Amino acid sequence: MTHDYAAFGLTGKVAIVTGASQGIGKALAMGLAQAGADVVLAKYPDGREKEIGEVQAGIEGLGRRARIVHVDVSDVAQIQVMIDKTKEEFGKIDILVNNAGWTGNSMALDVTEDEYDRTMDSSLKSVFFACQAAARVMIPQGGGKIVNIGSNFGVVAFKSRSVYAAAKAGVHHLSRALSLEWASQGVTVNVVAPCITETASRKVILERPGYKEWATKTMLPVGRWNQPEDLVGAVLFLSSHLSDMVVGHVLMVDGGWTIQ
């Protein structure tokens, strides 16, 4: 479905979306294109080639440019290559959406060092160095918008997500700290923080016996969890001129989970 997002004023803008082959990243990439942006689709080097090709084709079908870049966001050198390729081809970077990440689902007593490192590297370290690399382009060009995908678990605790919760809380506060340094130079860093979103990677959680009933009846006042498309409006707002005075903000898109 094509939406009329022209009011966000992103025509001619260049956006990077990490983790763009499926789920939230795919929805955000398509939404940015529907709002007028050209999009660099960043994905993990292995797998989902067909899926990312379909996203590229969908964006190009809208008359926008779309390029695929393979990047393991936990590798700082690969992040830099992603930024360099975007700057080389498009000449600028207006928007960066840090969506890619990974988490294990172990209870705290069972978390291994490898699981801890993989979660932190993909979900927090990656965000810092992608923001840094993008800001080094955005500041000289006069500004840009960075939107980091946080989580309601960065605000409230959740069993089996201790490390992920810490990483996302880090993303929230990191975004404030970066905005404090960069806003005067035209670069704002904000967060969109969803509740659990119905994607392939979250299927194992959604199918737990009794989870849907508990979440939708007890934790979510709206009575349902997110679909990927529920995040598009918030990200477009924070990517556009309409949010120029929104600085270091965490915008909850969580169905009311964190108001309790």
Side-chain angles (χ1 to χ4, degrees), residues 84-231:
D84 290 345
K85 285 185 175 180
T86 303
K87 177 69 161 54
E88 179 181 353
E89 176 156 359
F90 293 93
K92 62 176 182 172
I93 301 170
D94 299 298
I95 301 159
L96 168 65
V97 180
N98 282 309
N99 164 72
W102 182 88
T103 179
N105 58 2
S106 301
M107 297 296 284
L109 289 176
D110 300 319
V111 172
T112 64
E113 183 178 6
D114 179 69
E115 182 178 329
Y116 179 95
D117 287 344
R118 187 177 176 191
T119 300
M120 283 293 183
D121 286 353
S122 64
S123 300
L124 181 56
K125 173 186 173 183
S126 66
V127 172
F128 174 80
F129 283 103
C131 289
Q132 181 193 66
R136 286 173 173 165
V137 175
M138 290 175 173
I139 290 171
Q141 73 186 15
K145 302 276 189 172
I146 298 176
V147 183
N148 297 323
I149 303 302
S151 172
N152 66 323
F153 295 160
V155 177
V156 296
F158 188 79
K159 291 179 180 179
S160 79
R161 288 294 186 277
S162 57
V163 180
Y164 179 76
K168 290 300 186 179
V171 167
H172 295 185
H173 202 59
L174 172 66
S175 301
R176 299 183 187 104
L178 296 180
S179 274
L180 182 63
E181 294 194 23
W182 299 340
S184 64
Q185 300 168 85
V187 176
T188 58
V189 188
N190 291 291
V191 177
V192 170
C195 64
I196 191 160
T197 303
E198 191 168 359
T199 65
S201 65
R202 294 296 179 261
K203 189 174 181 181
V204 64
I205 301 174
L206 302 182
E207 293 182 350
R208 287 179 185 171
Y211 181 81
K212 179 177 181 179
E213 291 74 18
W214 168 75
T216 57
K217 293 180 181 179
T218 303
M219 302 308 295
L220 290 160
V222 297
R224 68 174 180 88
W225 45 57
N226 277 339
Q227 299 300 310
E229 291 72 21
D230 288 317
L231 305 178

